[in-house]
Amino acid sequence: MSNLMQKLSSRGMRTPLDRSPWLIRSFLFVWLFVVIAPLLVLVAYSFFDSRNFMMVYEPTLKTWEGIFTSGRFEVTVRTLRIAMTVTLIELLLAFPSALWLAKGNCTKTTRAVVLALLTIPFFLDQSSRIIVWRGILDENGLINHVLMMLHIVQAPIKSLLYTEAAVHFGMVISYFPMMVLPIYMAMSVIDDTLISAAADLGATPARIVVDIILPLSLPGVLAGVVFTLGPALASWVEPNLLGGGFVNMLSNSVDSAYGALRYPVVAALSSFVVLMIGVIFAVLMFVTRRFADLSMSFRSLQS
Amino acid sequence: MKDRNSITSQLDLTRRDMLKGIAATGAMAVAGTLGLSRIASAAASQTVSAYGVTTAQLKDWSVLQKSTGLKMQYAGSNNDVGVFMRDILASQMGNKADIFIFEGGTQNILGPQGAYLVIDEKNPNLKLWQRTPDVWKRSAVVVGKDGKQYGVPVIGNADSFGYFPDKLGVKADGSTDLSWKTVYEDDRTRGRVGYDNTWNYSIGVAALYLKSSGKAKIVDPADLSPAEAKTVVDFLVARKKAGQFRTLVSSFEQQIQLLSNHEVDVINCWEPAVREANLKLGEGTTRYAYTEEGYYKWGHGAYIASQAKGRGNLDTVYKMLNYFLDGEYRALQARDRGYAGPNMDLAVEYATKNSWTPEQVESLKATQQKVDRKFAKPFVSTTTPSHSDAIEDEWQRFLNA
């Protein structure tokens, strides 16, 4: 496998950026200007204060202290916990699904239909998709109606909605395509002869998955984690519509602060999230460095 | 001289930017460019540009042109006070808009800083000013904390909560005065209450209840001190933990859905949500409460952008402000949106003259009576309480509980 990677990288495919050195410099300059500079401004703003809808440009740690005394730190921890749980659930669901799609016994038509169905959510408004679940999960909703009609329960179950479980459920539905598609793409480029050879040599299906498919699809898994964890940390629709105000997440906290024009609080919370994401991916890279190169993660998307 | 780091300084800077702009325009005029002709055309124009909340809009502004010859160019703003004030200050919306329309409170910050002009009460085009009741024209919606008249009242209402009379065992016609205890501490409604999750909308009414019931010392429910905000949030956290609230609501659509699905028995919400729910459930199924303690009284004011002074069309602007006080605007807003406002009697007069149906005229009279009854009680809300930062921080505690 590593020989293959070395060959690929040593092949030296020349991109337009390689041909014109000034292009790469221009790109880096623009990137610094539109991505890095705003982030630095954001961090700088978190060290100012606001008072009664106005910025006060006096350096202070008050905003950061406030994060830890106002309950916003708990919101951050809760957001991190929910986002990571959702990512893990997605991974457990998406890996076998992607395996079935890429290497299972499904026909080309089935595969095409499933892939098309997975892309549908990208074309629909997220609020519209999630609000439908309120009608299904609420006290007088479809599920309670069916359960009561079948005499499985005597009174409606209230906890189907406005709980962390409901928020998890909504997020898993929302972000499933983000996880499954990169893994599917990574798996679909795995050479079938490798799998056949392993089978001919007597490897069990479980051994093939663990020793061949998992390592080769790891870049897709990492890409799936990136694409799921990022939006999950910034979730706004699911906590609002399915959490019913009882599952306060970072996006709600940012929104509330923004409504009072508390830019320093918004900046501190956003900086904290960026820091958290950085730490998570550093840990992820450290843990997986023996198996895969994170920089190769997006290569699977090129196929 | 102000400290460069003070709150005022950045507004001064903004103002300097504006002055630079005016100077530049002046230079252009001297140079014989389009500057003068633009100002002249603004002065002659019958068009008024407005930037504000969409609820202040008529569904069809063509009636305005027919009755007054004025033309309205309306750009809708976000409902969020923070976003609105950012637009006024940072984006200098006054360069484009003649008037701003927003919920009361912004004048306390933007007025003294010079973003809003003080209303000239003697302007001959503001004909209906003298006959407009003080409860509207002198309210905290349009008068600044500095005592200056920064705005003209446009629309308003007294918000309370929607409820199902049969669930509470009260008169079905909705005429009973209910206590806010129904929302916070009534065993009949425990776990059946929808409560708005925005601090500005929900903390004031809780403070009003605590003040009226003698459970806490609150000076002004609209303008809580940090200590008062803590007391109110402590109470709300306790009620949340006791399971009083079924859900915290974040949108108008959710208010309608919760009532329509019978998922809550009581909800602090906008009055139109009750009307929308009744369209599905049948007239009178839900009612909007008259309360014992008072209401979240809100109003939209129309404020003149300071930049409008230099455009030379102030007469037209004042004609527009006068229109907001007149019967046509009042009647149409009441009919189409259910909102009240100053001079409801002129709305009744307008409807009668224009052959509206007897039911519509009766409905306007009923709106007038409702508003008179509700506005006799406290409290007038503000979007910009003095300690908004502390209140917002406390509210996070409630949301996290």
Side-chain angles (χ1 to χ4, degrees):
Chain A
M1 184 183 65
S2 56
N3 287 341
L4 180 70
M5 294 296 184
Q6 276 172 359
K7 275 182 190 172
L8 276 173
S9 54
S10 64
R11 204 177 285 164
M13 191 176 72
R14 279 170 68 81
T15 64
L17 287 178
D18 293 323
R19 283 188 215 111
S20 313
W22 63 269
L23 260 179
I24 189 85
R25 283 189 204 116
S26 307
F27 170 78
L28 282 173
F29 178 77
V30 171
W31 190 76
L32 276 171
F33 190 71
V34 300
V35 179
I36 302 298
L39 274 177
L40 293 175
V41 172
L42 196 76
V43 174
Y45 256 73
S46 71
F47 291 99
F48 293 121
D49 189 17
S50 65
R51 206 176 302 143
N52 204 19
F53 297 93
M54 294 293 153
M55 282 291 298
V56 180
Y57 291 104
E58 280 170 0
T60 175
L61 289 173
K62 202 178 146 196
T63 304
W64 281 98
E65 285 164 9
I67 299 278
F68 294 94
T69 54
S70 66
R72 283 192 153 100
F73 180 69
E74 284 85 346
V75 177
T76 310
V77 172
R78 182 186 301 127
T79 304
L80 188 60
R81 175 169 51 77
I82 292 176
M84 290 180 79
T85 311
V86 166
T87 305
L88 186 66
I89 295 171
E90 297 284 18
L91 187 57
L92 294 175
L93 293 174
F95 193 86
S97 306
L99 184 60
W100 170 73
L101 262 180
K103 301 294 174 194
N105 290 325
C106 62
T107 63
K108 277 186 179 173
T109 313
T110 310
R111 188 176 296 132
V113 169
V114 172
L115 286 173
L117 288 174
L118 282 170
T119 57
I120 283 178
F122 295 118
F123 302 102
L124 295 174
D125 171 60
Q126 204 179 4
S127 304
S128 316
R129 277 186 283 132
I130 294 298
I131 204 162
V132 171
W133 285 101
R134 282 175 66 107
I136 296 170
L137 298 172
D138 77 22
E139 235 179 293
N140 304 307
L142 184 68
I143 291 178
N144 271 316
H145 183 71
V146 171
L147 290 176
M148 287 179 70
M149 204 175 68
L150 297 172
H151 299 289
I152 295 170
V153 294
Q154 301 306 312
I157 304 170
K158 288 186 176 181
S159 56
L160 291 178
L161 207 53
Y162 312 139
T163 58
E164 264 198 34
V167 173
H168 277 91
F169 173 74
M171 288 168 72
V172 166
I173 291 174
S174 293
Y175 305 130
F176 184 68
M178 316 275 195
M179 181 66 88
V180 77
L181 288 174
I183 301 178
Y184 161 74
M185 287 189 212
M187 285 181 178
S188 62
V189 295
I190 296 173
D191 194 342
D192 285 341
T193 55
L194 287 173
I195 296 168
S196 303
D200 289 345
L201 291 170
T204 61
R207 187 86 194 267
I208 293 171
V209 169
V210 172
D211 287 350
I212 297 175
I213 294 175
L214 183 60
L216 289 176
S217 62
L218 215 47
V221 170
L222 290 175
V225 169
V226 172
F227 290 154
T228 306
L229 190 62
L233 283 168
S235 269
W236 190 84
V237 173
E238 296 86 358
N240 257 314
L241 294 182
L242 302 181
F246 290 97
V247 187
N248 197 25
M249 286 179 68
L250 257 177
S251 51
N252 307 93
S253 202
V254 167
D255 190 50
S256 172
Y258 187 64
L261 274 195
R262 303 183 70 191
Y263 289 138
V265 175
V266 173
L269 283 171
S270 306
S271 304
F272 199 60
V273 172
V274 172
L275 185 72
M276 266 177 5
I277 293 175
V279 170
I280 290 169
F281 287 119
V283 171
L284 206 62
M285 282 175 78
F286 181 76
V287 171
T288 59
R289 73 189 194 286
R290 286 171 54 191
F291 311 105
D293 177 3
L294 195 64
S295 64
M296 298 294 286
S297 300
F298 300 96
R299 189 175 286 275
S300 61
L301 300 179
Q302 294 169 359
S303 57
Chain B
M1 188 181 161
K2 303 278 182 196
D3 181 349
R4 194 178 183 284
N5 292 320
S6 75
I7 287 170
T8 311
S9 64
Q10 51 188 315
L11 288 154
D12 287 343
L13 286 172
T14 315
R15 202 183 301 152
R16 276 202 290 275
D17 288 345
M18 190 188 79
L19 289 170
K20 275 184 204 163
I22 292 169
T25 309
M28 282 169 72
V30 170
T33 62
L34 290 173
L36 278 176
S37 61
R38 270 186 195 161
I39 291 169
S41 74
S45 169
Q46 291 299 296
T47 301
V48 175
S49 302
Y51 177 67
V53 281
T54 51
T55 38
Q57 286 215 66
L58 286 183
K59 290 200 170 174
D60 176 12
W61 282 107
S62 67
V63 291
L64 166 76
Q65 196 166 10
K66 275 182 209 157
S67 60
T68 64
L70 298 174
K71 223 175 151 184
M72 171 61 94
Q73 265 180 358
Y74 202 101
S77 76
N78 192 295
N79 276 336
D80 199 317
V81 63
V83 177
F84 178 79
M85 293 211 295
R86 182 205 62 196
D87 287 349
I88 305 292
L89 292 174
S91 305
Q92 288 286 293
M93 283 302 290
N95 288 338
K96 299 169 194 162
D98 300 313
I99 55 176
F100 301 120
I101 302 181
F102 203 77
E103 210 175 322
T106 61
Q107 81 281 4
N108 293 325
I109 294 173
L110 301 179
Q113 303 300 337
Y116 294 165
L117 288 184
V118 173
I119 297 291
D120 173 12
E121 297 178 34
K122 294 201 170 101
N123 188 297
N125 293 299
L126 199 59
K127 291 173 188 164
L128 295 167
W129 187 250
Q130 290 307 321
R131 59 108 58 210
T132 300
D134 280 357
V135 69
W136 288 98
K137 74 180 178 195
R138 303 294 182 209
S139 87
V141 169
V142 284
V143 176
K145 280 183 183 164
D146 57 5
K148 290 181 181 167
Q149 188 78 41
Y150 286 111
V152 166
V154 176
I155 53 171
N157 206 359
D159 281 11
S160 59
F161 52 90
Y163 67 98
F164 289 89
D166 56 330
K167 294 281 172 69
L168 300 182
V170 297
K171 276 187 192 169
D173 65 2
S175 62
T176 315
D177 273 355
L178 297 176
S179 168
W180 278 93
K181 185 181 178 185
T182 315
V183 173
Y184 300 112
E185 292 192 292
D186 194 328
D187 282 338
R188 291 172 303 175
T189 60
R190 185 172 294 184
R192 303 286 307 165
V193 177
Y195 198 54
D196 196 279
N197 76 351
T198 47
W199 56 271
N200 191 276
Y201 196 65
S202 284
I203 201 167
V205 285
L208 174 71
Y209 169 65
L210 291 178
K211 179 181 179 173
S212 305
S213 60
K215 294 188 175 197
K217 264 192 161 182
I218 308 275
V219 178
D220 179 4
D223 200 13
L224 300 176
S225 69
E228 289 170 337
K230 183 181 179 306
T231 304
V232 176
V233 168
D234 284 345
F235 165 73
L236 287 172
V237 167
R239 297 316 301 154
K240 191 180 179 187
K241 287 185 173 165
Q244 183 68 18
F245 307 118
R246 168 69 180 136
T247 178
L248 302 182
V249 186
S250 59
S251 72
F252 177 60
E253 291 73 20
Q254 280 182 45
Q255 294 173 0
I256 299 167
Q257 189 192 32
L258 290 166
L259 284 170
S260 305
N261 293 353
H262 286 276
E263 208 178 323
V264 295
D265 294 340
V266 179
I267 179 170
N268 74 322
C269 63
W270 303 352
E271 189 165 6
V274 170
R275 291 205 313 172
E276 292 291 328
N278 280 340
L279 290 178
K280 182 185 170 189
L281 302 171
E283 188 52 41
T285 310
T286 64
R287 293 288 183 187
Y288 202 60
Y290 286 103
T291 74
E292 291 173 6
E293 298 90 352
Y295 304 85
Y296 177 94
K297 292 193 291 185
W298 59 269
H300 290 167
Y303 314 91
I304 306 175
S306 56
Q307 293 94 321
K309 197 176 181 181
R311 285 195 283 265
N313 64 337
L314 276 183
D315 282 347
T316 314
V317 169
Y318 272 96
K319 279 181 198 165
M320 181 61 78
L321 296 185
N322 194 63
Y323 181 74
F324 291 135
L325 300 174
D326 211 341
E328 181 175 275
Y329 180 80
R330 186 69 44 241
L332 293 171
Q333 275 287 8
R335 185 192 68 185
D336 297 340
R337 297 189 193 272
Y339 290 138
N343 305 326
M344 278 305 293
D345 57 317
L346 292 181
V348 175
E349 199 177 293
Y350 170 86
T352 311
K353 263 188 199 165
N354 286 275
S355 310
W356 285 24
T357 65
E359 292 79 25
Q360 285 176 319
V361 175
E362 276 311 306
S363 171
L364 287 175
K365 285 180 183 168
T367 303
Q368 185 179 2
Q369 284 166 0
K370 176 192 76 179
V371 167
D372 289 345
R373 180 175 166 183
K374 288 186 172 177
F375 270 63
K377 291 185 177 175
F379 67 93
V380 178
S381 66
T382 177
T383 53
T384 56
S386 310
H387 305 284
S388 57
D389 299 337
I391 296 171
E392 201 272 327
D393 264 349
E394 286 294 337
W395 194 250
Q396 285 301 308
R397 224 164 36 83
F398 169 64
L399 294 179
N400 284 327

